[in-house]
Amino acid sequence: MWARLWRSWKTRGRVRFMVLIFGERNGTREKKKSREISEAKHGLEAMSLARQNIQSELTEAIRSRTELQCVIDDLRNIGLREGNKRENLETELAKINSEITNRQGALASLLPEWETRRNSEATEKRRFDQANVQLQALYAKAGRATRFRTKAERDKFLKQEIESLKTHSQTQQQNLQFSRTQIEDTKRSIVEVDQQIVDIQKKIEDGRQRVANLSEQTSGLREQHLKLIEERKDLWREDTKLESLVGRAADEMRTAERQLASMMDKDTGMGLRAVDKIAERYNLTGVYGPLYRLFEVTDHRYNIAIELTAGNSLFHVVVDNDETASKVLDAMLRDKTGRVTFMPINRLKPKNPPLPNDGDAIPILEKLRYDNTHAKAFQQVFGKTCVCKDLTVATAYVKSHGINTITLDGDKVDRKGALTGGFHDIRRSRIEAIKAVSSWRSKYEQDHNKSKETKAAIAEFDQRITQLAGQMSVLAAQQNQIREARERLISEGAMLSKEKEKLTGRLEKLENDVQELETELANLQTKNAGYEAELKTPMAQSLSAEEQSLIETLGVEVEQKRKELVELAKAKNSLESKKNSIEIELNERLRRRREELQTRIDLLTEPEDTSETADDLEGRLKELESLENLIQALSTRSQNLERETDNLSTELQNLNKSLEELQTQQLDDGRNITRQQKVTERYLAKRQMLVGRKEECNRNIRDLGVLPEEAFEKYTNERPDRLVRKLHSVSEGLKKFAHVNKKAFEQYNNFTKQRDQLLERREDLDNSARSIEELVEVLDQRKDEAIERTFKQVASNFEEVFEKLVPAGRGRLIIQRRIDRDEDLEEDNEETQASSIDNYTGVSIKVSFNSKVDEGLRIQQLSGGQKSLVALATVFAIQKCDPAPFYLFDEIDANLDAQYRTAVACKLIFDFPLPPVVDILMLVRPAMIQSLSSTAQFIVTTFRPEMLVTADKFYGVLFNNQKVSSIRPIRREEAMEFVDQEAQAR
């Protein structure tokens, strides 16, 4: 029966939801087209951005090419000028070298002759000096012949001269030896300087070679640097493209997550986000995530069935064990973030019935793809459900196998017999939303990982480029160091050359000094020999003939040698002048010019500004070639992007056109649906009318009463027209019996059944009434007993308390009855009270303050202070029966006499008080209820001193100028002083 009702409802539902389903399909197609248009627009924007970037790079490359061409032209012109300049410098250097060679050859041919002349001059000068010395010695001897009178005087003088000559000869001999030593040292120094000059020349050549090698290395590094820069530009373009894709994927993922979050409650969404953050924060590998992230649907036709089967279980968080769930839950409780349901795998024990092995019932787990680690969670949620083709088959499998079933449309049949289902809006499908989130998250992670890899590659290229730039800087610094070192070496070489010239001049001077010393020593020896020979000869007044002849000979020889010496000096000076002029020209002009030319050629070969070298020109040419290739590649890429952009624009136009057609079709379909809906409504109205007529016919049939069974079989095969005629004749015949009650028998049966039912109900009601009356009697009896018991207890407590407060008096509580109107009669019958409370009308009090035997006074006859005392006794009596946690008394001693205030105060034990300035507040416990002192407390306000005697804590209520009250603790003395002041003021 339920299945028939369900199918009927589904049939009416399909008619009712036909418009929605059709609109939904159109909406799905429109949404798909819109998504395609959005993707096409994004692709077009990305391509436009890439095209703009490529165009800007192309423009920059063209500008760089133009600048580079200008630089290359300048370098070529500079190279030509430098080439001509270098050629001229090399020609001049060759000329200078040739001239130096000629001068060195001339100097080499002139030096032997100059040496010969100098030696000849030295020899002749020594001979001249010897002859001149001999001549002077003869003249001196002739002069001594007239100077000294005796031989002794002469010999003494000669000896003195000989001794002086010996001393001078020794001194000159030492000077000669010293000069010769200086000559040897000077020669060694010249050799050392020559060796240093040779070493410096070698170092200069090595520096030139090292600079050339460093230039080659710099050129290679520059090529690598340019290549890496171009590769980095490609990575920059790729990174820009990936950032655009990552941004779009992030936006789409957030949109999909918001759509998915709208399908769950706010607390669950917050909880899921919190679980992800906590798992990442604490590195919890056992948190697998919500169930919807852990599976994929292999067939999209089962999306509705899977979604409705799982329900909110899609958002349950799967963890490995309950300990992990406890950790996450503790963190969520600390952070107060959302609410989730956990599924610890170690606690899941799914008990799934055996599923049918038939094509009509497909286990829903077969349509899911998941990890075996999470198998228990999926068996818990989906293990008891199979997918069937329709409700009939689903109901049959539920009865036969005891499983849950569901159709592809989402109609579920539970094992307990419940049928659920109906319209399901696929536009709000959780599975589709989950699929969209998973898809965009996967795309986002993929693009994000690619972007991270690209950024890492860019960072690596930056490091490599920086390293190459650093290496080039190091090489440039090394080149500069080598140049500076070479300049220093050149300066040192110049200084050494000057030092060599100085040493050479000194050597010549020392050699001349040696020659002069040798000549002088020879003359000294000759003179010494003459003096010794004269010592051996006797004293004579004149020279001998031989000596006279020798003087004449020596005079002629001296004059002749003087003339020869002059001639030799002239020849030597002429050669020396030529030698000096050649040496000066070599040292001061030719060699200096050669060094200058060599330096200028070196500077042209290895300039400090590497941008003007021939190697740099080659590098610039290679860079220009790279730029040409880059421009060609960028142009090709720009053309390809332009074609792709045109294709995308065309595709976008086609999609917009298709969307417009789809929207137009949707409008037409909407109008058709509206028209069909109107037609359907007319048919439904007609159907409703026919149903009404059918119900009217059924009502007429029921009015006919009970029909015999043959009425349902007799006219089964009759034709309708004949039945109509027969019905008309029968109806005419029934009109004769219109006054007869045709439903009397049926009414009699109905009334009989109603009477029996009413009798049964009356019997049940009577039984219920008797039970209620018995219950009321029991409750009344219990109430009477409770009232009487309570009154007796309170009356006994009252007598006891009153006797404690007024030892000389007596007090009683008397219950009043309706029959005891007369006071005398009440007094006589006070000991005999009825068991029922119906006659109770109230409670009266009789007290006596000065006698225990007097009949006492009624409450109306007492003074105000006595009434207050009686009221306190009543409160204390009730408190002993049913103690309260505390009691608040507001100036209970105001109307009491002094003796009663003292009695009340003495009978109260103060636990703690409260302060006065307007009032004195105290918290007290009565002494007579010492057993309840742990639970009952009394707060008292007073202006009397008697209450303050036994108190141990006081508080004063103060008023300031703004009429705002405040409370502060005070001492007993302050409270007594305030009470005394108040008493005097009154």
Side-chain angles (χ1 to χ4, degrees), residues 874-929:
T874 306
V875 170
F876 294 152
I878 296 173
Q879 195 267 346
K880 291 185 69 175
C881 292
D882 187 12
F886 71 91
Y887 293 87
L888 177 61
F889 291 151
D890 185 13
E891 297 188 38
I892 59 173
D893 56 349
N895 295 324
L896 295 179
D897 296 334
Q899 58 177 347
Y900 296 132
R901 288 198 297 270
T902 303
V904 171
C906 291
K907 296 300 181 183
L908 298 178
I909 297 176
F910 291 85
D911 289 341
F912 56 87
L914 303 166
V917 165
V918 173
D919 289 331
I920 302 296
L921 304 179
M922 296 167 290
L923 197 62
V924 305
R925 276 201 309 264
M928 72 287 296
I929 54 171

Side-chain angles (χ1 to χ4, degrees), residues 67-282:
E67 293 178 355
L68 192 58
Q69 287 176 347
C70 295
V71 171
I72 288 173
D73 293 339
D74 293 340
L75 288 175
R76 284 174 176 171
N77 294 329
I78 292 172
L80 290 175
R81 290 196 300 269
E82 288 183 353
N84 295 330
K85 188 175 181 180
R86 180 171 181 172
E87 185 178 357
N88 295 333
L89 291 175
E90 288 178 350
T91 303
E92 186 179 357
L93 180 62
K95 184 178 178 181
I96 292 295
N97 287 329
S98 176
E99 191 172 352
I100 288 173
T101 303
N102 294 331
R103 291 288 185 272
Q104 288 177 348
L107 183 63
S109 63
L110 186 63
L111 283 176
E113 186 178 357
W114 176 78
E115 289 289 339
T116 302
R117 294 282 185 183
R118 190 181 68 170
N119 293 330
S120 298
E121 182 185 10
T123 303
E124 291 298 328
K125 187 175 181 182
R126 280 194 299 273
R127 291 175 182 176
F128 171 77
D129 289 338
Q130 289 177 359
N132 191 22
V133 167
Q134 290 178 1
L135 181 63
Q136 294 297 327
L138 290 175
Y139 284 140
K141 184 177 180 181
R144 283 190 297 273
T146 59
R147 180 178 176 184
F148 300 104
R149 289 194 290 282
T150 63
K151 181 181 179 187
E153 292 179 352
R154 187 198 68 177
D155 292 341
K156 183 180 179 180
F157 173 77
L158 289 176
K159 289 179 179 179
Q160 290 178 351
E161 289 294 326
I162 291 171
E163 188 66 26
S164 176
L165 288 176
K166 287 181 179 180
T167 302
H168 184 65
S169 177
Q170 290 177 357
T171 302
Q172 293 301 98
Q173 189 69 33
Q174 292 176 357
N175 291 334
L176 178 62
Q177 187 66 29
F178 178 75
S179 297
R180 287 175 178 173
T181 304
Q182 290 292 320
I183 288 173
E184 295 297 328
D185 294 339
T186 303
K187 287 181 180 179
R188 285 196 298 272
S189 298
I190 290 172
V191 173
E192 291 176 357
V193 170
D194 289 336
Q195 186 62 36
Q196 290 178 1
I197 290 173
V198 172
D199 294 339
I200 287 173
Q201 292 295 331
K202 288 182 179 180
K203 290 180 179 178
I204 291 173
E205 291 298 328
D206 292 339
R208 290 195 184 97
Q209 186 64 32
R210 289 179 61 190
V211 168
N213 295 334
L214 291 175
S215 299
E216 292 179 359
Q217 294 179 11
T218 303
S219 178
L221 291 177
R222 188 180 295 111
E223 291 180 3
Q224 296 180 13
H225 187 266
L226 294 174
K227 183 178 179 181
L228 290 176
I229 288 175
E230 294 301 326
E231 292 180 358
R232 186 177 63 178
K233 288 181 180 179
D234 294 335
L235 289 175
W236 280 345
R237 287 191 290 269
E238 183 68 18
D239 184 53
T240 303
K241 180 180 177 182
L242 288 174
E243 283 183 353
S244 175
L245 294 175
V246 168
R248 179 173 181 268
D251 293 337
E252 294 291 343
M253 183 178 69
R254 284 192 291 270
T255 302
E257 286 178 347
R258 284 195 299 270
Q259 184 177 1
L260 179 60
S262 65
M263 300 177 186
M264 67 180 81
D265 60 280
K266 183 179 180 181
D267 290 339
T268 302
M270 292 175 59
L272 292 179
R273 290 190 292 271
V275 167
D276 293 337
K277 293 179 181 178
I278 291 169
E280 182 178 0
R281 185 193 313 161
Y282 297 104

Side-chain angles (χ1 to χ4, degrees), residues 19-67:
V19 178
L20 293 176
I21 293 173
F22 197 80
E24 181 181 307
R25 292 175 180 174
N26 289 334
T28 303
R29 290 197 295 269
E30 183 178 358
K31 186 176 180 181
K32 182 178 180 181
K33 289 291 182 184
S34 300
R35 186 163 54 249
E36 292 177 355
I37 290 173
S38 175
E39 292 177 357
K41 286 183 178 179
H42 182 269
L44 186 61
E45 291 176 357
M47 286 188 179
S48 299
L49 181 61
R51 185 182 175 189
Q52 291 177 0
N53 295 333
I54 290 175
Q55 193 66 34
S56 62
E57 290 183 9
L58 183 61
T59 304
E60 182 68 20
I62 293 174
R63 184 183 63 78
S64 300
R65 183 182 65 181
T66 305
E67 293 178 355

Side-chain angles (χ1 to χ4, degrees), residues 844-972:
S844 63
I845 298 176
K846 281 188 177 184
V847 295
S848 174
F849 285 87
N850 52 14
S851 177
K852 293 184 179 294
V853 296
D854 293 343
E855 63 181 12
L857 301 175
R858 291 183 179 273
I859 193 66
Q860 293 83 1
Q861 297 172 339
L862 302 177
S863 64
Q866 292 174 340
K867 290 180 179 178
S868 298
L869 191 61
V870 171
L872 287 174
T874 306
V875 170
F876 294 152
I878 296 173
Q879 195 267 346
K880 291 185 69 175
C881 292
D882 187 12
F886 71 91
Y887 293 87
L888 177 61
F889 291 151
D890 185 13
E891 297 188 38
I892 59 173
D893 56 349
N895 295 324
L896 295 179
D897 296 334
Q899 58 177 347
Y900 296 132
R901 288 198 297 270
T902 303
V904 171
C906 291
K907 296 300 181 183
L908 298 178
I909 297 176
F910 291 85
D911 289 341
F912 56 87
L914 303 166
V917 165
V918 173
D919 289 331
I920 302 296
L921 304 179
M922 296 167 290
L923 197 62
V924 305
R925 276 201 309 264
M928 72 287 296
I929 54 171
Q930 182 67 32
S931 59
L932 300 176
S933 61
S934 61
T935 58
Q937 295 177 338
F938 290 81
I939 301 175
V940 180
T941 64
T942 183
F943 287 97
R944 305 295 182 181
E946 290 81 5
M947 287 288 182
L948 304 178
V949 176
T950 56
D952 55 6
K953 289 187 180 178
F954 307 87
Y955 294 89
V957 182
L958 307 175
F959 289 95
N960 56 19
N961 294 331
Q962 287 78 18
K963 296 182 180 181
V964 178
S965 62
S966 61
I967 300 176
R968 69 177 179 85
I970 62 176
R971 292 179 291 105
R972 185 191 306 273

Side-chain angles (χ1 to χ4, degrees), residues 513-559:
D513 292 342
V514 168
Q515 289 177 0
E516 290 178 356
L517 288 173
E518 288 177 350
T519 302
E520 186 178 0
L521 286 174
N523 293 331
L524 290 175
Q525 289 177 0
T526 302
K527 189 181 287 188
N528 189 23
Y531 285 156
E532 289 179 352
E534 187 177 357
L535 282 175
K536 295 176 180 182
T537 60
M539 180 74 179
Q541 296 296 325
S542 62
L543 297 174
S544 62
E546 184 180 358
E547 291 175 345
Q548 291 291 336
S549 174
L550 183 60
I551 288 174
E552 292 177 358
T553 304
L554 288 173
V556 173
E557 185 179 358
V558 166
E559 289 297 328

Side-chain angles (χ1 to χ4, degrees), residues 222-418:
R222 188 180 295 111
E223 291 180 3
Q224 296 180 13
H225 187 266
L226 294 174
K227 183 178 179 181
L228 290 176
I229 288 175
E230 294 301 326
E231 292 180 358
R232 186 177 63 178
K233 288 181 180 179
D234 294 335
L235 289 175
W236 280 345
R237 287 191 290 269
E238 183 68 18
D239 184 53
T240 303
K241 180 180 177 182
L242 288 174
E243 283 183 353
S244 175
L245 294 175
V246 168
R248 179 173 181 268
D251 293 337
E252 294 291 343
M253 183 178 69
R254 284 192 291 270
T255 302
E257 286 178 347
R258 284 195 299 270
Q259 184 177 1
L260 179 60
S262 65
M263 300 177 186
M264 67 180 81
D265 60 280
K266 183 179 180 181
D267 290 339
T268 302
M270 292 175 59
L272 292 179
R273 290 190 292 271
V275 167
D276 293 337
K277 293 179 181 178
I278 291 169
E280 182 178 0
R281 185 193 313 161
Y282 297 104
N283 193 20
L284 299 177
T285 57
V287 179
Y288 302 126
L291 189 68
Y292 68 80
R293 294 183 189 171
L294 306 179
F295 71 92
E296 293 180 3
V297 182
T298 58
D299 192 346
H300 68 278
R301 294 179 302 169
Y302 293 85
N303 285 349
I304 296 175
I306 293 172
E307 178 180 351
L308 295 180
T309 300
N312 291 329
S313 297
L314 288 172
F315 307 115
H316 291 178
V317 178
V318 181
V319 295
D320 55 353
N321 52 49
D322 48 359
E323 183 179 356
T324 303
S326 299
K327 292 180 181 178
V328 178
L329 185 59
D330 293 339
M332 292 179 66
L333 291 176
R334 285 195 303 269
D335 299 338
K336 297 180 180 180
T337 52
R339 173 179 56 83
V340 293
T341 302
F342 292 98
M343 298 179 67
I345 292 180
N346 67 324
R347 292 289 185 179
L348 296 179
K349 297 179 180 179
K351 297 179 180 179
N352 300 324
L355 300 177
N357 187 12
D358 199 345
D360 292 338
I362 301 174
I364 204 167
L365 285 175
E366 295 181 358
K367 301 301 178 182
L368 300 177
R369 185 185 297 115
Y370 54 87
D371 193 346
N372 290 330
T373 307
H374 317 134
K376 287 186 178 181
F378 288 96
Q379 292 174 2
Q380 181 73 22
V381 177
F382 300 102
K384 301 176 183 178
T385 306
C386 291
V387 181
C388 300
K389 61 180 181 180
D390 53 33
L391 279 175
T392 304
V393 177
T395 305
Y397 276 105
V398 168
K399 293 179 180 179
S400 61
H401 290 79
I403 59 174
N404 298 331
T405 57
I406 189 171
T407 64
L408 293 177
D409 294 331
D411 302 328
K412 295 191 296 183
V413 181
D414 191 76
R415 290 182 297 170
K416 299 178 181 179

